[in-house]
mmCIF file of all heavy atoms in Angstrom:
data_model
loop_
_atom_site.group_PDB
_atom_site.id
_atom_site.type_symbol
_atom_site.label_atom_id
_atom_site.label_comp_id
_atom_site.label_asym_id
_atom_site.label_seq_id
_atom_site.Cartn_x
_atom_site.Cartn_y
_atom_site.Cartn_z
ATOM 1 N N TRP K 1 0.854 -1.179 0.000
ATOM 2 C CA TRP K 1 0.000 0.000 0.000
ATOM 3 C C TRP K 1 0.898 1.239 0.000
ATOM 4 O O TRP K 1 1.859 1.314 0.765
ATOM 5 C CB TRP K 1 -0.902 0.033 1.225
ATOM 6 C CG TRP K 1 -1.985 -0.997 1.227
ATOM 7 C CD1 TRP K 1 -1.949 -2.238 1.787
ATOM 8 C CD2 TRP K 1 -3.291 -0.858 0.645
ATOM 9 N NE1 TRP K 1 -3.140 -2.890 1.594
ATOM 10 C CE2 TRP K 1 -3.992 -2.068 0.891
ATOM 11 C CE3 TRP K 1 -3.951 0.154 -0.053
ATOM 12 C CZ2 TRP K 1 -5.299 -2.273 0.467
ATOM 13 C CZ3 TRP K 1 -5.244 -0.056 -0.475
ATOM 14 C CH2 TRP K 1 -5.905 -1.269 -0.216
ATOM 15 N N PHE K 2 0.514 2.171 -0.856
ATOM 16 C CA PHE K 2 1.139 3.480 -0.893
ATOM 17 C C PHE K 2 0.043 4.521 -0.718
ATOM 18 O O PHE K 2 -1.138 4.209 -0.830
ATOM 19 C CB PHE K 2 1.842 3.712 -2.239
ATOM 20 C CG PHE K 2 3.079 2.874 -2.439
ATOM 21 C CD1 PHE K 2 2.973 1.537 -2.800
ATOM 22 C CD2 PHE K 2 4.335 3.415 -2.262
ATOM 23 C CE1 PHE K 2 4.113 0.753 -2.981
ATOM 24 C CE2 PHE K 2 5.483 2.649 -2.450
ATOM 25 C CZ PHE K 2 5.364 1.304 -2.809
ATOM 26 N N ARG K 3 0.432 5.736 -0.437
ATOM 27 C CA ARG K 3 -0.558 6.802 -0.336
ATOM 28 C C ARG K 3 0.025 8.098 -0.875
ATOM 29 O O ARG K 3 1.236 8.290 -0.903
ATOM 30 C CB ARG K 3 -1.028 6.980 1.102
ATOM 31 C CG ARG K 3 0.029 7.504 2.063
ATOM 32 C CD ARG K 3 -0.506 7.497 3.491
ATOM 33 N NE ARG K 3 0.474 8.024 4.444
ATOM 34 C CZ ARG K 3 0.302 8.022 5.769
ATOM 35 N NH1 ARG K 3 -0.816 7.515 6.297
ATOM 36 N NH2 ARG K 3 1.243 8.507 6.550
ATOM 37 N N GLN K 4 -0.895 8.970 -1.292
ATOM 38 C CA GLN K 4 -0.492 10.274 -1.794
ATOM 39 C C GLN K 4 -1.461 11.326 -1.295
ATOM 40 O O GLN K 4 -2.660 11.266 -1.604
ATOM 41 C CB GLN K 4 -0.429 10.293 -3.316
ATOM 42 C CG GLN K 4 0.154 11.572 -3.888
ATOM 43 C CD GLN K 4 0.509 11.451 -5.355
ATOM 44 O OE1 GLN K 4 0.036 10.571 -6.061
ATOM 45 N NE2 GLN K 4 1.371 12.343 -5.828
ATOM 46 N N ALA K 5 -0.939 12.259 -0.536
ATOM 47 C CA ALA K 5 -1.723 13.371 -0.033
ATOM 48 C C ALA K 5 -1.656 14.525 -1.028
ATOM 49 O O ALA K 5 -0.700 14.610 -1.813
ATOM 50 C CB ALA K 5 -1.189 13.802 1.324
ATOM 51 N N PRO K 6 -2.626 15.425 -1.006
ATOM 52 C CA PRO K 6 -2.617 16.559 -1.933
ATOM 53 C C PRO K 6 -1.335 17.371 -1.828
ATOM 54 O O PRO K 6 -0.903 17.738 -0.731
ATOM 55 C CB PRO K 6 -3.826 17.386 -1.480
ATOM 56 C CG PRO K 6 -4.718 16.409 -0.824
ATOM 57 C CD PRO K 6 -3.820 15.412 -0.153
ATOM 58 N N GLY K 7 -0.708 17.623 -2.968
ATOM 59 C CA GLY K 7 0.495 18.422 -2.993
ATOM 60 C C GLY K 7 1.751 17.714 -2.529
ATOM 61 O O GLY K 7 2.810 18.334 -2.421
ATOM 62 N N LYS K 8 1.623 16.425 -2.253
ATOM 63 C CA LYS K 8 2.786 15.677 -1.769
ATOM 64 C C LYS K 8 3.097 14.514 -2.703
ATOM 65 O O LYS K 8 2.261 14.086 -3.489
ATOM 66 C CB LYS K 8 2.541 15.150 -0.353
ATOM 67 C CG LYS K 8 2.398 16.250 0.687
ATOM 68 C CD LYS K 8 2.317 15.662 2.087
ATOM 69 C CE LYS K 8 2.267 16.750 3.139
ATOM 70 N NZ LYS K 8 2.214 16.181 4.515
ATOM 71 N N GLU K 9 4.288 13.994 -2.577
ATOM 72 C CA GLU K 9 4.666 12.837 -3.370
ATOM 73 C C GLU K 9 4.058 11.570 -2.769
ATOM 74 O O GLU K 9 3.749 11.508 -1.588
ATOM 75 C CB GLU K 9 6.197 12.716 -3.419
ATOM 76 C CG GLU K 9 6.883 13.840 -4.166
ATOM 77 C CD GLU K 9 8.372 13.591 -4.323
ATOM 78 O OE1 GLU K 9 8.881 12.622 -3.736
ATOM 79 O OE2 GLU K 9 9.013 14.382 -5.041
ATOM 80 N N ARG K 10 3.944 10.592 -3.638
ATOM 81 C CA ARG K 10 3.472 9.290 -3.170
ATOM 82 C C ARG K 10 4.470 8.721 -2.164
ATOM 83 O O ARG K 10 5.684 8.827 -2.353
ATOM 84 C CB ARG K 10 3.338 8.350 -4.368
ATOM 85 C CG ARG K 10 2.816 6.964 -4.036
ATOM 86 C CD ARG K 10 2.761 6.123 -5.290
ATOM 87 N NE ARG K 10 4.081 5.932 -5.859
ATOM 88 C CZ ARG K 10 4.306 5.509 -7.099
ATOM 89 N NH1 ARG K 10 3.291 5.256 -7.900
ATOM 90 N NH2 ARG K 10 5.543 5.329 -7.530
ATOM 91 N N GLU K 11 3.944 8.096 -1.116
ATOM 92 C CA GLU K 11 4.829 7.527 -0.106
ATOM 93 C C GLU K 11 4.427 6.091 0.224
ATOM 94 O O GLU K 11 3.262 5.708 0.161
ATOM 95 C CB GLU K 11 4.831 8.372 1.172
ATOM 96 C CG GLU K 11 3.521 8.417 1.905
ATOM 97 C CD GLU K 11 3.629 9.115 3.255
ATOM 98 O OE1 GLU K 11 4.754 9.468 3.674
ATOM 99 O OE2 GLU K 11 2.580 9.305 3.909
ATOM 100 N N PHE K 12 5.428 5.337 0.585
ATOM 101 C CA PHE K 12 5.231 3.953 0.987
ATOM 102 C C PHE K 12 4.521 3.901 2.330
ATOM 103 O O PHE K 12 4.837 4.679 3.240
ATOM 104 C CB PHE K 12 6.592 3.263 1.084
ATOM 105 C CG PHE K 12 6.563 1.917 1.731
ATOM 106 C CD1 PHE K 12 6.206 0.800 1.002
ATOM 107 C CD2 PHE K 12 6.892 1.762 3.069
ATOM 108 C CE1 PHE K 12 6.181 -0.453 1.585
ATOM 109 C CE2 PHE K 12 6.868 0.525 3.670
ATOM 110 C CZ PHE K 12 6.517 -0.590 2.924
ATOM 111 N N VAL K 13 3.585 2.964 2.468
ATOM 112 C CA VAL K 13 2.877 2.765 3.727
ATOM 113 C C VAL K 13 3.258 1.426 4.346
ATOM 114 O O VAL K 13 3.730 1.366 5.476
ATOM 115 C CB VAL K 13 1.356 2.833 3.526
ATOM 116 C CG1 VAL K 13 0.631 2.542 4.851
ATOM 117 C CG2 VAL K 13 0.949 4.198 2.974
ATOM 118 N N THR K 14 3.045 0.357 3.597
ATOM 119 C CA THR K 14 3.322 -0.972 4.115
ATOM 120 C C THR K 14 3.392 -1.969 2.973
ATOM 121 O O THR K 14 2.857 -1.722 1.892
ATOM 122 C CB THR K 14 2.233 -1.394 5.124
ATOM 123 O OG1 THR K 14 2.514 -2.703 5.638
ATOM 124 C CG2 THR K 14 0.858 -1.414 4.478
ATOM 125 N N ALA K 15 4.049 -3.103 3.215
ATOM 126 C CA ALA K 15 4.168 -4.148 2.201
ATOM 127 C C ALA K 15 4.109 -5.518 2.856
ATOM 128 O O ALA K 15 4.419 -5.667 4.044
ATOM 129 C CB ALA K 15 5.483 -3.998 1.429
ATOM 130 N N ILE K 16 3.733 -6.492 2.051
ATOM 131 C CA ILE K 16 3.642 -7.863 2.528
ATOM 132 C C ILE K 16 4.181 -8.799 1.458
ATOM 133 O O ILE K 16 3.984 -8.569 0.261
ATOM 134 C CB ILE K 16 2.181 -8.212 2.910
ATOM 135 C CG1 ILE K 16 2.089 -9.550 3.631
ATOM 136 C CG2 ILE K 16 1.261 -8.168 1.691
ATOM 137 C CD1 ILE K 16 0.738 -9.774 4.304
ATOM 138 N N SER K 17 4.865 -9.831 1.881
ATOM 139 C CA SER K 17 5.463 -10.763 0.937
ATOM 140 C C SER K 17 4.414 -11.685 0.322
ATOM 141 O O SER K 17 3.254 -11.716 0.757
ATOM 142 C CB SER K 17 6.525 -11.595 1.655
ATOM 143 O OG SER K 17 5.916 -12.351 2.698
ATOM 144 N N ARG K 18 4.845 -12.448 -0.639
ATOM 145 C CA ARG K 18 3.948 -13.406 -1.301
ATOM 146 C C ARG K 18 3.259 -14.328 -0.302
ATOM 147 O O ARG K 18 2.074 -14.597 -0.390
ATOM 148 C CB ARG K 18 4.750 -14.264 -2.270
ATOM 149 C CG ARG K 18 5.073 -13.677 -3.595
ATOM 150 C CD ARG K 18 5.863 -14.668 -4.421
ATOM 151 N NE ARG K 18 5.241 -15.999 -4.443
ATOM 152 C CZ ARG K 18 5.785 -17.058 -5.002
ATOM 153 N NH1 ARG K 18 6.981 -16.959 -5.591
ATOM 154 N NH2 ARG K 18 5.185 -18.222 -5.003
ATOM 155 N N SER K 19 4.042 -14.831 0.606
ATOM 156 C CA SER K 19 3.526 -15.809 1.562
ATOM 157 C C SER K 19 2.740 -15.162 2.694
ATOM 158 O O SER K 19 2.008 -15.845 3.413
ATOM 159 C CB SER K 19 4.684 -16.594 2.153
ATOM 160 O OG SER K 19 5.506 -15.738 2.938
ATOM 161 N N GLY K 20 2.928 -13.865 2.864
ATOM 162 C CA GLY K 20 2.325 -13.185 4.006
ATOM 163 C C GLY K 20 3.190 -13.262 5.250
ATOM 164 O O GLY K 20 2.843 -12.691 6.280
ATOM 165 N N GLY K 21 4.306 -13.958 5.152
ATOM 166 C CA GLY K 21 5.158 -14.149 6.311
ATOM 167 C C GLY K 21 6.025 -12.969 6.662
ATOM 168 O O GLY K 21 6.543 -12.876 7.781
ATOM 169 N N SER K 22 6.202 -12.064 5.718
ATOM 170 C CA SER K 22 7.020 -10.873 5.963
ATOM 171 C C SER K 22 6.200 -9.629 5.697
ATOM 172 O O SER K 22 5.479 -9.563 4.704
ATOM 173 C CB SER K 22 8.245 -10.865 5.047
ATOM 174 O OG SER K 22 9.066 -11.980 5.254
ATOM 175 N N THR K 23 6.325 -8.681 6.601
ATOM 176 C CA THR K 23 5.662 -7.389 6.433
ATOM 177 C C THR K 23 6.629 -6.274 6.803
ATOM 178 O O THR K 23 7.615 -6.508 7.519
ATOM 179 C CB THR K 23 4.402 -7.269 7.299
ATOM 180 O OG1 THR K 23 4.762 -7.451 8.682
ATOM 181 C CG2 THR K 23 3.360 -8.301 6.912
ATOM 182 N N TYR K 24 6.328 -5.087 6.318
ATOM 183 C CA TYR K 24 7.156 -3.931 6.656
ATOM 184 C C TYR K 24 6.261 -2.702 6.676
ATOM 185 O O TYR K 24 5.337 -2.587 5.864
ATOM 186 C CB TYR K 24 8.263 -3.743 5.618
ATOM 187 C CG TYR K 24 9.330 -2.767 6.056
ATOM 188 C CD1 TYR K 24 10.406 -3.186 6.817
ATOM 189 C CD2 TYR K 24 9.246 -1.418 5.711
ATOM 190 C CE1 TYR K 24 11.378 -2.296 7.229
ATOM 191 C CE2 TYR K 24 10.214 -0.519 6.121
ATOM 192 C CZ TYR K 24 11.270 -0.964 6.875
ATOM 193 O OH TYR K 24 12.225 -0.082 7.295
ATOM 194 N N TYR K 25 6.536 -1.806 7.610
ATOM 195 C CA TYR K 25 5.702 -0.621 7.783
ATOM 196 C C TYR K 25 6.543 0.646 7.798
ATOM 197 O O TYR K 25 7.657 0.656 8.356
ATOM 198 C CB TYR K 25 4.918 -0.705 9.090
ATOM 199 C CG TYR K 25 3.940 -1.846 9.148
ATOM 200 C CD1 TYR K 25 4.319 -3.088 9.641
ATOM 201 C CD2 TYR K 25 2.624 -1.685 8.703
ATOM 202 C CE1 TYR K 25 3.426 -4.147 9.676
ATOM 203 C CE2 TYR K 25 1.720 -2.737 8.740
ATOM 204 C CZ TYR K 25 2.135 -3.963 9.231
ATOM 205 O OH TYR K 25 1.245 -5.015 9.273
ATOM 206 N N ALA K 26 5.994 1.688 7.241
ATOM 207 C CA ALA K 26 6.595 3.002 7.412
ATOM 208 C C ALA K 26 6.506 3.387 8.885
ATOM 209 O O ALA K 26 5.542 3.019 9.572
ATOM 210 C CB ALA K 26 5.874 4.033 6.547
#
């Protein structure tokens, strides 16, 4: 998941691996 606020660049929010076993958060 990424997000973009008005007037700002897109930013990373969170990611999950294929298996679901790995995640990462901003």
Side-chain angles (χ1 to χ4, degrees):
W1 290 93
F2 290 78
R3 67 186 181 186
Q4 187 167 19
K8 295 186 176 181
E9 294 187 353
R10 182 181 63 196
E11 65 172 354
F12 169 82
V13 177
T14 180
I16 190 167
S17 62
R18 280 180 49 186
S19 66
S22 300
T23 58
Y24 193 86
Y25 297 90

